[in-house]
Amino acid sequence: MKKIIVTGGAGYIGSHTVVELIEAGYTPIIVDNLCNTSIQNIKGIEKIIDKKIKWHNTDCTNKSAMDKVFATEGKIEGAIHFAAYKAVEESVQNPQKYYDNNLGSLKVLLQCMSDNSIKNIIFSSSCTVYGMPDVLPVDESALFKKAESPYGETKQICEGMLKDDTCNSVALRYFNPIGSHSSALIGDCSADKPSNLVPIITEVAIGKRKKITVFGDDYNTPDGTCIRDYIHVVDLARSHVKAMNFLIKNSGKHAFNVGTGIGVSVLEAIKVFEESNNITINYTIGPRRDGDIEQIYANGSLVKSKLGWEAKETLEQAMISAWNWEKSKK
Ligand code: UD1
């Protein structure tokens, strides 16, 4: 049973990945200080897998605490690094918090890996590294544009840190993760006030908000609203298992897009949510949001050919699971 350190393994994408790792026969070891998630996700993982999970309540930026984790765990095959802050707006207001934590935790992890002769790391990157791409669907060879936020900048810098290190790495560039595990036992427990589209839709559906404002309908897209590539978090989690299988056999530095390849507009996303869940969502059209790009969706050829991964879940399934998660939070 190969042990994998999963920093941020109690978070939204981390918890889903832990479940998939176990189902694939790995032994994930969670390292998380629960600073922006809940113990509920650890309990949820344990219910889904029907056994206890090993976890360390540890801050990944604390080198001596991380040294203890590695000393306790013995032989480790690789690491998957999720531990990071993710609220774009907050990163604009408090950039230092993002640089300290998001760069600091990767720095410490790489140092621990080097000290313990561990080579393999998978990093949570984002399609935000591309900015507004010149060519759609965007592929991995697209040059990085100037980041729209300190959050985006930390993703670009972390990819650079991996390139300059001696490790073997896979950067997974996530498109827009949505939904939850079908059990509704794990999900996004962060304290961040939702700013992403689907959590806002589910808050309208449950009555926490009166309506959702669609940010602009005058873009150069078929219905005038922005286009994104919404990926079911369970599919996204599975890509990490494929990436770890790959990294164990292949050395070097790699980056892959993780999306469905399908561009969906804001109005289409609202409609699919409504139809899948038989609920009407109250929305109005408002002005554009600063920093939003018009459209982005993934070219998934490379991840399919190299990792044998492609999205399997539908947008309808993702919207149903997002709604089930919202209802379970009450
Ligand atoms: C955002 C971040 C991105 C990050 C990603 C993580 C910004 C500018 N970008 O991406 O860096 O990696 O989240 O998931 O914040 N929308 C509305 N009304 C709303 C909320 C959203 O119309 O109330 C629209 C947006 O204009 C956008 C789409 O829905 O077109 C998706 O928005 P969102 O879920 O916030 O994701 P991104 O902006 O793509």
Side-chain angles (χ1 to χ4, degrees):
M1 295 285 263
K2 294 187 167 83
K3 277 191 187 178
I4 310 291
I5 292 282
V6 185
T7 73
Y12 173 44
I13 304 171
S15 59
H16 286 84
T17 300
V18 165
V19 169
E20 297 300 322
L21 283 167
I22 290 165
E23 284 173 6
Y26 285 102
T27 303
I29 312 289
I30 295 175
V31 181
D32 199 309
N33 65 351
L34 307 184
C35 72
N36 196 22
T37 186
S38 157
I39 189 80
Q40 191 192 326
N41 268 352
I42 304 250
K43 291 181 182 156
I45 292 169
E46 290 178 340
K47 267 196 197 143
I48 293 168
I49 64 170
D50 198 23
K51 61 178 180 200
K52 289 276 169 204
I53 182 91
K54 188 83 180 283
W55 81 285
H56 297 263
N57 189 340
T58 300
D59 177 350
C60 298
T61 64
N62 181 335
K63 177 70 167 55
S64 57
M66 287 292 278
D67 284 340
K68 280 190 198 132
V69 170
F70 282 84
T72 313
E73 292 300 340
K75 186 169 167 18
I76 303 280
E77 203 66 36
I80 307 183
H81 183 50
F82 294 102
Y85 293 137
K86 65 179 175 67
V88 176
E89 228 181 291
E90 185 191 42
S91 81
V92 176
Q93 284 146 14
N94 194 354
Q96 215 53 52
K97 176 174 171 184
Y98 278 69
Y99 293 122
D100 285 350
N101 187 56
N102 294 9
L103 307 184
S105 59
L106 179 59
K107 181 169 176 265
V108 166
L109 179 60
L110 288 174
Q111 188 62 57
C112 289
M113 287 173 59
S114 165
D115 294 347
N116 292 279
S117 305
I118 300 163
K119 295 296 277 182
N120 304 322
I121 178 167
I122 297 170
F123 173 65
S124 284
S125 190
S126 165
C127 69
T128 198
V129 296
Y130 298 124
M132 176 65 212
D134 297 326
V135 179
L136 286 169
V138 64
D139 72 32
E140 291 81 353
S141 67
L143 295 178
F144 290 4
K145 300 266 176 68
K146 187 178 165 8
E148 292 287 351
S149 66
Y151 161 80
E153 191 135 9
T154 65
K155 294 296 176 193
Q156 293 182 340
I157 297 170
C158 284
E159 285 207 23
M161 287 166 69
L162 292 173
K163 283 202 191 110
D164 291 338
D165 194 86
T166 54
C167 63
N168 298 321
S169 65
V170 169
L172 293 177
R173 296 178 183 155
Y174 310 156
F175 282 66
N176 288 56
I178 61 166
S180 278
H181 192 266
S182 58
S183 64
L185 289 166
I186 53 176
D188 188 351
C189 297
S190 68
D192 307 331
K193 190 171 176 301
S195 63
N196 293 119
L197 178 67
V198 174
I200 291 177
I201 294 176
T202 61
E203 286 200 352
V204 175
I206 208 145
K208 283 186 194 161
R209 295 177 191 239
K210 286 208 165 54
K211 59 170 187 173
I212 173 162
T213 303
V214 174
F215 296 141
D217 69 347
D218 56 351
Y219 286 97
N220 187 21
T221 61
D223 66 18
T225 64
C226 292
I227 289 177
R228 297 286 184 274
D229 183 335
Y230 296 96
I231 167 93
H232 196 306
V233 68
V234 171
D235 268 331
L236 179 57
R238 290 175 185 144
S239 73
H240 297 77
V241 175
K242 297 277 190 180
M244 189 51 79
N245 297 342
F246 173 84
L247 213 44
I248 287 170
K249 294 201 191 100
N250 298 275
S251 57
K253 316 283 179 188
H254 311 270
F256 299 109
N257 286 341
V258 191
T260 65
I262 302 166
V264 173
S265 76
V266 178
L267 289 178
E268 284 169 339
I270 294 174
K271 191 157 172 264
V272 172
F273 182 90
E274 291 183 318
E275 289 176 356
S276 312
N277 294 304
N278 207 12
I279 293 173
T280 304
I281 296 296
N282 187 14
Y283 70 85
T284 52
I285 307 292
R288 293 181 177 199
R289 176 172 69 176
D290 274 356
D292 263 345
I293 58 168
E294 184 175 277
Q295 45 184 322
I296 187 164
Y297 47 97
N299 178 326
S301 312
L302 191 66
V303 69
K304 189 173 175 190
S305 66
K306 295 273 186 191
L307 300 192
W309 177 91
E310 63 185 324
K312 296 244 158 49
E313 308 289 324
T314 64
L315 186 57
E316 287 75 11
Q317 285 167 321
M319 292 300 190
I320 291 168
S321 70
W323 178 223
N324 286 339
W325 170 249
E326 182 69 55
K327 285 186 286 184
S328 79
K329 285 197 288 188
K330 272 191 290 179

